[in-house]
Amino acid sequence: MQENRKKWLVIAIAAGLCLLLLLAGAAAVSWHMVSEKLAQTSIRKPEQETDAQPQGAKDGGKEKNHKPLRCETQGLSFLTYEDWVEIEEADYAYMVRGEEGTYNIWLNGVSMLGSGTAQETYEELALYYRDEEEYQFTEYDHEMEEIALSDGVLCQCGFIYGNNGQGIYDTMVAAVPQKNYLITFGGYTEDGAEEELLDILSDLCASLQFAIGSRDEISGNTFITETGGELCLNQDGTFLFQGTQDGEGSGDYSGTYVVYYGDPAVEKAVTSFDLPLEIVEKMISYNMGGYALGGVFPDNVPEGRMRYRVCRDTFYVVMLYIESRAGEPVEEEAGYFGFYIPELQSTDFVDETTYQYAVWELAGRP
């Protein structure tokens, strides 16, 4: 057991360093590709509006057409407004009329943050933009600023400043380690103030929300296990497992259960299982680059397997406290740790006593 863990730790550290370099390049969306779209497209006004109003524009002392709208894409959302005019043929791109001028803003790129730190990845992106021939890089914020989003999730953001020879061309980088997201928003203006442009981009960052890991996906649900048994986790904290009649793990048992996810799951894995904190943190960090089934400990994950987004908040520990087995009273417990995979609506857990994988698929999933 200890030899496997040491071996895994060495592999995880080496793989993490490689993934940092790969993801930094993959996360960056070239600014000039977006600028070409903006240059080639016209402004499309929403059908219900006759005139696009400046951001926060007032008519008779009242704000006009500045109702917030939540835009959802790729598992995240951010706030736009009714008076922001959509730009044709450019996804999630808008013209915003502010008090100081007119601005084009757009969602530039979304990717997994990966195993690197937010600061490291941000600096990699800054170097990427610096080397772009068409982008006149000027500077970037050398230290990212940490802000708390509306749901309490911490986000680190920083700006990369530049121009294209005609106007201001800035990029805001938002890194959210807890949710495993790296997001960039672009902003451009020829006749506006940079301070107002940065305020608009900052508001986009502050409005971010994420679907992944936003709730307990285990409690209250019924799952089909890899042996064909049915595990019903009731809302009242009791469970019933009805097993198959043959194969390992057959038989019925019942009792109570407790589910932990996110930071509480990390703490539970350390305090209740024989798992050092360093191992748990490496386990989560390694899989931020894309989770392959069977990859809680990635020693034997075959090459080419499909990768899925997981994050710190989809790391789980589930404790089953067994009180009855085949109708007879018992006092046993079983612990599982690993990841819930939202895309598959299933778990990829490890039994903490046997270190065998336990796959639970949500019953009735599409």
Side-chain angles (χ1 to χ4, degrees), residues 331-358:
E331 289 187 10
E332 302 174 5
E333 67 178 54
Y336 302 88
F337 65 90
F339 291 94
Y340 177 82
I341 306 167
E343 293 169 80
L344 300 179
Q345 294 184 306
S346 70
T347 73
D348 210 35
F349 285 165
V350 172
D351 184 322
E352 65 94 10
T353 57
T354 65
Y355 273 65
Q356 298 296 310
Y357 276 91

Side-chain angles (χ1 to χ4, degrees), residues 13-302:
I13 293 172
L17 292 174
C18 294
L19 281 170
L20 170 63
L21 297 176
L22 291 172
L23 289 167
V29 175
S30 180
W31 70 271
H32 62 268
M33 293 175 64
V34 179
S35 67
E36 288 175 1
K37 276 189 175 181
L38 296 176
Q40 295 169 1
T41 56
S42 59
I43 300 301
R44 181 175 74 249
K45 296 180 180 180
E47 292 182 1
Q48 70 272 24
E49 297 183 19
T50 56
D51 294 294
Q53 297 297 319
Q55 183 185 22
K58 297 185 178 181
D59 182 12
K62 296 182 180 180
E63 290 191 359
K64 186 176 181 180
N65 297 331
H66 200 55
K67 179 181 178 181
L69 304 171
R70 186 155 287 277
C71 177
E72 298 182 0
T73 178
Q74 301 183 65
L76 61 86
S77 67
F78 54 90
L79 286 182
T80 61
Y81 295 87
E82 281 191 346
D83 58 332
W84 288 16
V85 183
E86 293 182 63
I87 298 175
E88 290 183 349
E89 299 179 11
D91 295 332
Y92 311 109
Y94 310 87
M95 184 195 75
V96 181
R97 292 179 179 172
E99 295 180 0
E100 303 295 331
T102 303
Y103 309 89
N104 286 332
I105 61 99
W106 61 92
L107 177 63
N108 195 29
V110 178
S111 71
M112 298 182 196
L113 177 60
S115 58
T117 68
Q119 184 67 34
E120 289 170 340
T121 305
Y122 170 59
E123 291 176 359
E124 290 281 350
L125 281 174
L127 294 176
Y128 172 88
Y129 281 111
R130 184 193 67 183
D131 294 337
E132 280 287 300
E133 294 181 1
E134 299 179 48
Y135 185 81
Q136 298 178 25
F137 173 95
T138 55
E139 61 177 334
Y140 68 98
D141 296 326
H142 289 276
E143 293 293 332
M144 302 187 82
E145 178 185 1
E146 187 171 77
I147 63 172
L149 303 179
S150 59
D151 54 5
V153 173
L154 295 180
C155 173
Q156 298 181 52
C157 60
F159 286 97
I160 301 171
Y161 308 94
N163 63 78
N164 68 345
Q166 296 179 317
I168 299 168
Y169 222 128
D170 291 341
T171 300
M172 187 193 68
V173 181
V176 190
Q178 187 175 338
K179 300 298 183 181
N180 191 17
Y181 269 89
L182 179 69
I183 305 146
T184 56
F185 289 100
Y188 177 72
T189 184
E190 293 182 8
D191 60 355
E194 185 167 34
E195 183 177 353
E196 186 170 34
L197 174 61
L198 297 180
D199 285 343
I200 295 171
L201 293 174
S202 295
D203 288 344
L204 283 174
C205 178
S207 72
L208 284 168
Q209 292 182 359
F210 301 89
I212 189 170
S214 60
R215 63 181 184 179
D216 179 357
E217 301 282 3
I218 303 297
S219 299
N221 289 320
T222 297
F223 295 89
I224 306 302
T225 70
E226 71 279 2
T227 61
E230 183 178 85
L231 176 62
C232 182
L233 302 171
N234 301 311
Q235 290 282 6
D236 63 1
T238 63
F239 80 88
L240 172 64
F241 177 76
Q242 295 178 302
T244 56
Q245 296 303 309
D246 54 7
E248 185 179 353
S250 63
D252 298 349
Y253 52 91
S254 61
T256 62
Y257 73 95
V258 180
V259 172
Y260 307 83
Y261 70 103
D263 287 334
V266 172
E267 182 179 355
K268 183 65 176 178
V270 171
T271 57
S272 297
F273 305 155
D274 186 21
L275 291 171
L277 177 60
E278 182 181 14
I279 293 291
V280 178
E281 293 291 354
K282 290 295 181 183
M283 182 191 309
I284 296 172
S285 175
Y286 177 89
N287 287 296
M288 288 291 215
Y291 185 81
L293 295 179
V296 176
F297 293 112
D299 302 63
N300 302 310
V301 176

